[in-house]
Amino acid sequence: PTISDLAKVDEDSLLKLWEGLGYYNRAINLKKAAIKIEIEFDGIMPETEDELESLPGIGPYTSGALLSIAYEQQVAAVDGNVLRVFSRFYQIEEDIKNPKTKATIKALVQDSLPQYRNGDYNQAIMELGATICIPNGRPLCEICLLQEECLSYKNSMQMVLPFQSKKAKRRMETKTVYILQYGDKYAIRKRPSQGLLASMYEFPN
């Protein structure tokens, strides 16, 4: 219920509470961030970009979302949806995974922010990307309110953009899993604290 409670909870209890939500590393980072807030910020959530991004698990997008939505500051929140909307709107033909392209788009978003209700604006762009300027398949340009100003639409580039480099191929692993039972007890072990499914429990393999 509080930052202090989160900082004090033991990791096993935290992961049990988080069970079923996935991305377990987020729970670990939340605890690490809470500890840092307790120690360095007197238990009070910071309200600046640099301070927020110094916390484990918080990058530029999350800090922008927090500052604009929770604190109503004039800060851009750029997620994958926003990258797609702006790359199409301005017909940006560079790789949106490239840090330089991301920085260019973030600057454009920052310049476009209204004087008030920046959180609503950021959420509206994200929603536009999730529901109309969609990632897979044909974007719904015919019902988009930005259609007349969109360079990709004018130049029939909306199916080509955004350009992004391909993801690395997933590595497949084959393992033998042992289910060791003794009466009504089973042998399990804890995974390493780093890497895939860090600190989770599993059958020996």
Side-chain angles (χ1 to χ4, degrees):
T2 69
I3 290 170
S4 179
D5 291 318
L6 180 56
K8 290 172 189 164
V9 72
D10 70 272
E11 195 172 284
D12 284 343
S13 298
L14 175 64
L15 292 175
K16 184 66 181 169
L17 289 165
W18 192 264
E19 196 171 52
L21 294 173
Y23 298 105
Y24 289 90
N25 205 40
R26 286 182 178 172
I28 304 298
N29 280 332
L30 278 167
K31 177 178 163 63
K32 287 178 184 174
I35 292 168
K36 186 166 182 174
I37 291 167
E38 285 284 283
I39 295 167
E40 296 183 22
F41 300 104
D42 298 320
I44 299 166
M45 191 76 174
E47 296 183 30
T48 70
E49 212 165 353
D50 288 343
E51 287 174 340
L52 278 173
E53 288 181 29
S54 75
L55 300 175
I58 295 187
Y61 161 64
T62 306
S63 70
L66 284 167
L67 291 170
S68 65
I69 297 166
Y71 296 126
E72 298 180 4
Q73 293 185 25
Q74 208 165 14
V75 180
V78 181
D79 71 348
N81 288 313
V82 175
L83 287 170
R84 184 169 56 260
V85 169
F86 271 72
S87 73
R88 283 176 175 158
F89 187 81
Y90 287 102
Q91 198 175 319
I92 295 168
E93 297 180 35
E94 287 79 31
D95 184 354
I96 61 167
K97 288 186 178 177
N98 185 306
K100 190 177 174 185
T101 310
K102 283 185 178 180
T104 299
I105 291 174
K106 185 174 182 180
L108 288 169
V109 178
Q110 188 68 40
D111 287 344
S112 74
L113 288 171
Q115 193 171 355
Y116 304 107
R117 298 180 65 191
N118 293 287
D120 289 341
Y121 176 82
N122 281 329
Q123 289 181 83
I125 301 296
M126 289 183 235
E127 196 65 18
L128 180 69
T131 60
I132 292 176
C133 200
I134 54 176
N136 300 311
R138 181 173 290 281
L140 309 177
C141 300
E142 62 279 3
I143 60 169
C144 181
L145 296 173
L146 303 180
Q147 180 199 100
E148 289 182 12
E149 292 82 26
C150 179
L151 294 179
S152 290
Y153 178 76
K154 284 180 181 177
N155 298 313
S156 301
M157 291 285 287
Q158 68 270 40
M159 289 296 290
V160 178
L161 297 175
F163 172 72
Q164 53 186 320
S165 49
K166 287 183 178 174
K167 290 180 181 177
K169 214 173 180 183
R170 284 200 304 180
R171 190 184 65 200
M172 302 297 285
E173 292 183 0
T174 302
K175 298 196 178 218
T176 302
V177 177
Y178 299 92
I179 300 177
L180 307 174
Q181 182 182 6
Y182 179 76
D184 61 351
K185 296 179 179 175
Y186 292 86
I188 59 171
R189 67 178 183 187
K190 196 171 189 179
R191 290 175 64 88
S193 60
Q194 301 292 321
L196 182 68
L197 300 174
S199 300
M200 302 303 296
Y201 287 93
E202 66 180 3
F203 290 117
N205 58 70

Tab-separated table of all heavy atoms in Angstrom, residues 7 16 79 84 127 141 149 181:
chain	number	residue	atom	x	y	z
A	7	ALA	N	9.320	-1.281	-0.024
A	7	ALA	CA	10.761	-1.346	0.230
A	7	ALA	C	11.106	-2.454	1.227
A	7	ALA	O	12.162	-3.073	1.146
A	7	ALA	CB	11.263	0.001	0.755
A	16	LYS	N	5.101	-13.585	-5.007
A	16	LYS	CA	3.826	-14.295	-4.839
A	16	LYS	C	2.655	-13.342	-5.069
A	16	LYS	O	1.678	-13.688	-5.738
A	16	LYS	CB	3.754	-14.895	-3.427
A	16	LYS	CG	2.518	-15.739	-3.187
A	16	LYS	CD	2.519	-16.992	-4.051
A	16	LYS	CE	1.263	-17.825	-3.821
A	16	LYS	NZ	1.119	-18.888	-4.826
A	79	ASP	N	6.023	6.038	-26.319
A	79	ASP	CA	6.070	4.582	-26.379
A	79	ASP	C	6.042	4.143	-27.842
A	79	ASP	O	6.147	4.980	-28.760
A	79	ASP	CB	4.919	3.970	-25.570
A	79	ASP	CG	3.552	4.184	-26.223
A	79	ASP	OD1	3.441	4.985	-27.170
A	79	ASP	OD2	2.573	3.538	-25.782
A	84	ARG	N	5.171	5.246	-33.730
A	84	ARG	CA	4.516	4.895	-34.991
A	84	ARG	C	3.684	6.056	-35.527
A	84	ARG	O	3.777	6.402	-36.704
A	84	ARG	CB	3.632	3.656	-34.784
A	84	ARG	CG	2.982	3.150	-36.052
A	84	ARG	CD	2.346	1.792	-35.858
A	84	ARG	NE	1.375	1.756	-34.780
A	84	ARG	CZ	1.624	1.295	-33.562
A	84	ARG	NH1	2.808	0.798	-33.258
A	84	ARG	NH2	0.682	1.300	-32.628
A	127	GLU	N	-3.331	6.197	-27.565
A	127	GLU	CA	-4.599	5.533	-27.923
A	127	GLU	C	-4.816	5.566	-29.437
A	127	GLU	O	-5.296	4.594	-30.028
A	127	GLU	CB	-5.755	6.228	-27.194
A	127	GLU	CG	-7.038	5.439	-27.167
A	127	GLU	CD	-6.958	4.145	-26.376
A	127	GLU	OE1	-6.033	3.974	-25.552
A	127	GLU	OE2	-7.816	3.280	-26.605
A	141	CYS	N	-6.934	4.918	-41.718
A	141	CYS	CA	-6.747	6.321	-42.120
A	141	CYS	C	-8.070	7.032	-42.419
A	141	CYS	O	-8.195	8.235	-42.191
A	141	CYS	CB	-5.837	6.407	-43.339
A	141	CYS	SG	-4.181	5.726	-43.055
A	149	GLU	N	-3.421	16.199	-42.524
A	149	GLU	CA	-2.063	16.724	-42.295
A	149	GLU	C	-0.996	15.636	-42.341
A	149	GLU	O	0.198	15.930	-42.301
A	149	GLU	CB	-1.988	17.427	-40.930
A	149	GLU	CG	-2.783	18.723	-40.828
A	149	GLU	CD	-4.254	18.475	-40.535
A	149	GLU	OE1	-4.565	17.425	-39.939
A	149	GLU	OE2	-5.093	19.305	-40.925
A	181	GLN	N	9.258	-36.467	-6.514
A	181	GLN	CA	8.228	-36.470	-5.484
A	181	GLN	C	8.636	-37.381	-4.332
A	181	GLN	O	9.163	-38.478	-4.537
A	181	GLN	CB	6.899	-36.948	-6.088
A	181	GLN	CG	5.745	-36.937	-5.099
A	181	GLN	CD	4.450	-37.461	-5.710
A	181	GLN	OE1	4.452	-37.940	-6.841
A	181	GLN	NE2	3.366	-37.384	-4.954
